[in-house]
Amino acid sequence: MSPGALCVICGCLRPFVFPLAAENSGAATERGFHFASYVEMSRSLSNRSLRTLLISLPLLGLVAVSKPVPKEPGERTVMTRDAFWVAKTHSPAKFDLVILGDSAAYCGLSPRALSRSLPGYRILNFAYSAGGLNGAMFRAAEAKLDPKSTRKSILLAVTPLSLTARSMGNGKFLAEMGRPREYIFEKLHPAFVWDLVKPIGQREIAIMLGLPTPDGDDATYSEYHADGWVAVSARQVYPDASVPTYRKLYSEGKVLPALVRGLMEQTAAWTKAGVKVFGVACPRSPEVAAVEAECSGFDPVGFVRDFRRSGGIWLPVAGEYESIDGVHLCMRDALRFSADVAQQIAASLRK
Amino acid sequence: MQFNSLIFLLFATVFFGLWPFTKRNLNLRWFYLTFASFVFYGWWDWRFLFVIAGSGLLDYGAALGMTRWPQHRRSFLWVSIIGNVGSLAVFKYSGFVADTLSALAKGMGYDLALRTDLPDFLLILPVGISFYTFQSMSYTIDVYRGELKPTRNILHFFAYLSMFPQLVAGPIVRARDLLPQLRAPAPCDEPRQWEGLQLVVFGFFKKVVIADSLAPRVNAAFDAPTLSTSSIFWWAAVTAFAFQIYCDFSGYTDIARGLAKWMGYDFLDNFNHPYTSTSLREFWQRWHISLSSWFRDYVYIPLGGSRTTPCRMYVNIWITMVVSGLWHGAQWHFVMWGAAHALLYSLERATKWPDRLKQLPGGRLLAAFLVIVQVWICWVFFRATSFGQALYILKCMFAFTGGLGTGLGGRATLALSLIVLRELYVFCGFRPRVIRSAALRNVLWPVILSVMIVACVYLRGQGSEFIYFAF
């Protein structure tokens, strides 16, 4: 751009960008806001504030478009964590298929990967941290289904933890529901702005570039997607990392039969109302699975039997998937797991 | 509405876009400023507006009453003080008093749960109440002392009291400084715009890049104090907190000053590199200057100050410091923070150790180091969630055991290094080299500021409230 052209742009912008300057420039005060003379335009460039603006705006744009993106496979609809939770909870969008569960579900099931085998399906991963499979969540999930859809479906990503007293609190979901209006507005509506100005973290850059992470091998990286999926990756995976936590959690409370009964009743009610209900067990590392078998009080065989009796469609996905801590699937394996689940759903729909 | 929020960006754009149109009519300008400030403040909770309006009306009326009926000046002053301190007591300290009485009753074998009997509205602290009540009170006290003529224009008064840049977290601007400026704002010429922009960008940089990068590490340490018993870990955590609170609060002040500059007003600086002080006395002359000088002028000196018997002087120091601690928060650890400062400052006054030490070679550096150690110890009381936690952390700090434990992390270390280097630079008395070429200077600084803007956007930490909003 030639200096002359820059002067013209600056001169035109100046009264709008810096009305205070216009206020105090004699000519502008007398004649109001107007296209300044060439002399004034040249003077605009001597305004250091305007000069800073002119340097910083392209610089911001440059960083926005050139900031590194993860080298991992997967989606590119990355958003900030806050915007992610607000969008998941408060977005008015309606769906054909809603996934319910806890953090294992929102890390393990990518709606976009599912929709590859289920073309045309609008899918939302509506799982929450420590999320329960209980009445409050069932009602919330129902509200996310498009009432006009002819293929309304619910996918229950079952973990024993989501059927304990701890998960009945629905802490994360209720916290998100209770957000103030302006917070929701700020995070939801200009979400594209937040995406553009998403801060670049030190660990993020390191993982993206394949460098050793500053926090060592324990570093994990989470990528938040608009469809409710959180893609996690780590430099080093620890299949038994969740064992002590799970042991402690189950010592505080085992699976509640009342919650299992409630799930079965809801499945029957949904099936009766024409909503297809699918169920799948979230993959576990053998170490965590052993703790669950020992301490959770969950009867997987009985659960599947009752689920089928209630009208639900159980998806026997039996692949081996890698997780970062024994519970939360790594990004690549989450995509693979999602594809496997989708194929089974598609197969059951064909029957 | 927080400075570091999108809604404030929109608010500021609209506000400054319309501000020049109010130039010709002072009443319109004051009305616009008051209206915008009420929108800014009411954004948290519109009900809080009644508190600030009530406090303002009381002091506006009291000041006018003093001039109308001079023989009752003292009565009007008491009405103002009781009204302001009363609103603070009701909204800020009722929960604290209830808890303390309940604890005392429990100690005597009675089971009282007074807090649950308090109405809900008493348990919500109106944002910035401590700042604007002090500001409002200083107005009536200055009028009472004859240092200020009261304004008859209610818009003029409320434009002063509610001016949004400093409304919720200071600096506490005195009426005698701001009321005249409101009558004749300085023209917002290029140097003023530039100065304002520098302050705003520096303020945001301190808050979102430095303070917000340190915050997660500090929170992690203080939320789970049993995480580490290592002395190095706790010294690092307390150092991180010391700089977090400094950057958080001075960042807010810088933004407030920058916004005021764009309006044509000047606020006094609130921080002057406090961690480069070589005595606690100097520290208090550099830290939260507007509050320290408020307590000096309206509490310490009226109590007799230092022009009294030594014993009485120490009592005055203790009263001022403890009240200052209580001003920060209605909890015992804040009182302990004030008391710890009072103790250390009394020792300093009694022994005059900084003056003696500074006469030795390297004494200035050693004095600064000792001041930092003392201030850090006091910060433990300030940041800890309870008195017991503070003692535990101090025990860890002075046990001089253990390895590094969990480090601060790269990002926090980088942020900390940046601010420590800057303070060291100031302490060593370096002066920035003057770039002789004006052309180069006028290009270089915009480039530096632009890079800082980019850093504020892309290297910002997790957004959090300004710490002093809680006071």
Side-chain angles (χ1 to χ4, degrees):
Chain A
M1 190 184 287
S2 71
L6 198 61
C7 282
V8 172
I9 293 169
C10 296
C12 297
L13 274 176
R14 186 184 174 210
F16 298 103
V17 176
F18 286 102
L20 300 171
E23 173 192 301
N24 293 289
S25 95
T29 313
E30 281 161 27
R31 284 173 273 151
F33 293 157
H34 64 290
F35 289 100
S37 66
Y38 183 79
V39 177
E40 250 195 287
M41 292 170 205
S42 313
R43 206 185 300 153
S44 298
L45 274 182
S46 70
N47 184 319
R48 287 165 291 179
S49 306
L50 184 61
R51 199 177 288 166
T52 305
L53 196 72
L54 285 173
I55 298 169
S56 58
L57 281 178
L59 210 57
L60 283 169
L62 194 71
V63 178
V65 296
S66 64
K67 63 180 176 174
V69 287
K71 285 178 177 173
E72 306 280 355
E75 326 300 332
R76 286 289 167 263
T77 52
V78 183
M79 61 206 302
T80 63
R81 185 181 52 188
D82 293 344
F84 167 84
W85 287 112
V86 167
K88 182 181 273 207
T89 313
H90 298 282
S91 167
K94 299 291 177 190
F95 301 87
D96 300 309
L97 173 71
V98 174
I99 302 164
L100 267 182
D102 57 17
S103 56
Y106 69 62
C107 291
L109 288 161
S110 157
R112 193 168 292 191
L114 280 163
S115 64
R116 284 192 194 113
S117 298
L118 300 167
Y121 266 75
R122 294 165 295 164
I123 306 173
L124 170 71
N125 189 324
F126 195 57
Y128 285 84
S129 312
L133 295 174
N134 51 50
M137 294 311 300
F138 294 148
R139 280 191 296 279
E142 235 174 44
K144 290 281 176 188
L145 286 174
D146 184 354
K148 290 175 191 160
S149 171
T150 53
R151 45 192 182 185
K152 288 196 282 279
S153 316
I154 298 278
L155 171 57
L156 302 174
V158 180
T159 61
L161 207 60
S162 62
L163 294 164
T164 59
R166 175 180 177 266
S167 67
M168 276 171 71
N170 301 316
K172 180 65 180 168
F173 172 69
L174 292 180
E176 291 304 322
M177 286 297 284
R179 296 281 189 200
R181 267 180 309 149
E182 61 267 28
Y183 178 88
I184 295 165
F185 177 84
E186 200 175 282
K187 301 291 178 207
L188 195 58
H189 294 288
F192 69 96
V193 178
W194 294 118
D195 290 347
L196 270 180
V197 297
K198 188 184 170 200
I200 304 167
Q202 200 181 339
R203 283 192 316 178
E204 202 176 334
I205 294 172
I207 287 189
M208 284 167 193
L209 302 178
L211 299 171
T213 50
D215 292 347
D217 287 340
D218 293 340
T220 58
Y221 170 70
S222 303
E223 199 181 278
Y224 296 89
H225 293 257
D227 54 16
W229 178 48
V230 180
V232 291
S233 53
R235 294 191 59 77
Q236 182 73 49
V237 296
Y238 298 97
D240 57 351
S242 299
V243 168
T245 316
Y246 271 55
R247 218 176 262 287
K248 183 169 177 287
L249 289 174
Y250 289 124
S251 74
E252 289 164 3
K254 296 184 187 304
V255 167
L256 290 176
L259 284 177
V260 178
R261 268 199 310 277
L263 185 146
M264 300 307 166
E265 283 163 13
Q266 184 63 58
T267 303
W270 271 331
T271 309
K272 201 174 167 187
V275 179
K276 287 209 179 300
V277 186
F278 300 97
V280 67
C282 287
R284 295 291 199 244
S285 69
E287 293 87 342
V288 175
V291 173
E292 284 185 339
E294 183 192 333
C295 315
S296 72
F298 183 62
D299 168 20
V301 178
F303 182 88
V304 172
R305 184 191 59 228
D306 293 347
F307 185 72
R308 284 186 171 141
R309 274 188 198 155
S310 307
I313 302 161
W314 188 256
L315 308 172
V317 181
E320 281 190 8
Y321 307 95
E322 190 178 58
S323 60
I324 59 166
D325 55 0
V327 174
H328 303 99
L329 295 188
C330 299
M331 185 188 270
R332 280 196 192 86
D333 288 69
L335 292 171
R336 203 157 55 79
F337 176 60
S338 305
D340 292 347
V341 169
Q343 276 169 16
Q344 297 230 10
I345 293 176
S348 76
L349 289 173
R350 280 196 295 272
K351 280 179 190 170
Chain B
M1 200 181 297
Q2 292 216 61
F3 285 165
N4 53 342
S5 67
L6 181 68
I7 199 74
F8 179 75
L9 192 68
L10 295 173
F11 169 84
T13 307
V14 173
F15 177 82
F16 283 106
L18 297 176
W19 181 246
F21 296 104
T22 64
K23 186 192 173 192
R24 284 159 202 260
N25 185 331
L26 274 180
N27 274 323
L28 178 65
R29 176 160 277 200
W30 294 335
F31 171 77
Y32 178 58
L33 182 53
T34 307
F35 175 75
S37 301
F38 271 51
V39 170
F40 173 85
Y41 190 68
W43 202 261
W44 272 283
D45 192 329
W46 60 270
R47 290 169 299 180
F48 293 167
L49 290 174
F50 292 108
V51 183
I52 188 172
S55 175
L57 284 172
L58 179 77
D59 290 317
Y60 171 75
L64 284 183
M66 282 180 203
T67 40
R68 177 73 180 80
W69 297 284
Q71 68 276 24
H72 298 299
R73 279 164 64 232
R74 187 176 281 268
S75 307
F76 281 112
L77 177 70
W78 277 112
V79 167
S80 163
I81 291 176
I82 291 169
N84 283 297
V85 175
S87 84
L88 264 181
V90 166
F91 287 103
K92 192 165 178 173
Y93 299 107
S94 48
F96 171 67
V97 172
D99 288 344
T100 307
L101 289 178
S102 299
L104 280 174
K106 200 174 177 185
M108 289 190 281
Y110 298 101
D111 194 15
L112 277 180
L114 290 174
R115 183 180 270 269
T116 52
D117 295 334
L118 291 174
D120 287 347
F121 74 93
L122 291 185
L123 300 174
I124 305 167
L125 178 67
V127 181
I129 188 171
S130 309
F131 287 95
Y132 64 72
T133 45
F134 269 42
Q135 193 161 310
S136 193
M137 218 162 24
S138 73
Y139 169 72
T140 40
I141 296 173
D142 285 353
V143 171
Y144 171 78
R145 287 175 175 174
E147 293 170 0
L148 180 71
K149 259 184 89 175
T151 177
R152 291 186 178 279
N153 190 318
I154 195 164
L155 289 173
H156 187 201
F157 176 75
F158 270 97
Y160 150 71
L161 182 66
S162 66
M163 188 186 272
F164 73 85
Q166 42 71 255
L167 177 59
V168 290
I172 300 169
V173 186
R174 307 281 181 90
R176 57 175 177 239
D177 294 327
L178 194 53
L179 283 176
Q181 289 189 56
L182 281 163
R183 280 198 190 283
C188 191
D189 48 14
E190 198 276 338
R192 182 170 274 271
Q193 282 174 32
W194 174 239
E195 224 177 305
L197 184 70
Q198 279 180 308
L199 282 167
V200 169
V201 174
F202 272 100
F204 271 109
F205 187 84
K206 281 195 222 169
K207 166 64 182 162
V208 302
V209 178
I210 298 182
D212 284 355
S213 296
L214 295 172
R217 298 297 170 164
V218 173
N219 294 344
F222 281 87
D223 288 348
T226 49
L227 193 73
S228 173
T229 52
S230 153
S231 298
I232 299 173
F233 172 82
W234 279 109
W235 278 104
V238 177
T239 304
F241 174 67
F243 282 99
Q244 182 207 349
I245 193 168
Y246 171 48
C247 290
D248 190 285
F249 195 18
S250 69
Y252 184 94
T253 305
D254 286 348
I255 298 168
R257 289 176 63 214
L259 295 172
K261 279 231 181 278
W262 284 341
M263 290 186 220
Y265 310 123
D266 288 304
F267 295 165
L268 292 175
D269 200 355
N270 214 12
F271 292 88
N272 182 19
H273 306 286
Y275 297 144
T276 62
S277 308
T278 51
S279 66
L280 277 179
R281 181 195 174 89
E282 192 186 342
F283 174 79
W284 281 107
Q285 286 166 349
R286 290 167 175 268
W287 177 271
H288 202 171
I289 299 165
S290 64
L291 182 73
S292 315
S293 58
W294 198 99
F295 273 108
R296 184 196 62 210
D297 294 348
Y298 299 111
V299 179
Y300 182 66
I301 291 175
L303 284 172
S306 51
R307 292 182 181 174
T308 180
T309 59
C311 179
R312 179 66 205 211
M313 181 192 73
Y314 288 115
V315 171
N316 295 343
I317 290 172
W318 275 78
I319 291 173
T320 310
M321 290 291 189
V322 169
V323 172
S324 160
L326 204 54
W327 176 89
H328 281 84
Q331 278 168 16
W332 283 109
H333 61 98
F334 286 120
V335 177
M336 282 308 300
W337 172 73
H341 265 289
L343 176 69
L344 294 167
Y345 185 47
S346 302
L347 287 172
E348 183 181 298
R349 289 285 297 230
T351 59
K352 295 189 171 50
W353 66 262
D355 298 334
R356 292 178 191 180
L357 194 60
K358 277 187 269 183
Q359 288 166 2
L360 301 173
R364 189 169 164 264
L365 188 66
L366 190 60
F369 174 74
L370 289 176
V371 168
I372 280 180
V373 170
Q374 293 178 72
V375 172
W376 268 216
I377 291 170
C378 296
W379 280 139
V380 173
F381 288 106
F382 192 94
R383 179 59 180 82
T385 49
S386 65
F387 185 56
Q389 193 197 59
L391 290 182
Y392 170 81
I393 292 167
L394 284 173
K395 200 175 138 194
C396 292
M397 284 166 73
F398 288 97
F400 299 112
T401 53
L404 183 59
T406 313
L408 280 179
R411 189 192 175 105
T413 308
L414 188 69
L416 194 59
S417 310
L418 263 178
I419 188 69
V420 169
L421 280 175
R422 178 171 173 262
E423 295 304 295
L424 270 176
Y425 182 82
V426 172
F427 179 77
C428 296
F430 292 132
R431 294 278 172 273
R433 278 193 185 172
V434 177
I435 302 165
R436 292 208 177 146
S437 159
L440 182 63
R441 202 169 52 229
N442 288 342
V443 169
L444 194 64
W445 272 110
V447 169
I448 292 172
L449 229 56
S450 301
V451 171
M452 288 177 79
I453 291 172
V454 173
C456 287
V457 173
Y458 289 109
L459 297 178
R460 67 184 191 276
Q462 278 181 13
S464 58
E465 263 198 358
F466 287 91
I467 293 174
Y468 265 68
F469 276 21
F471 309 136

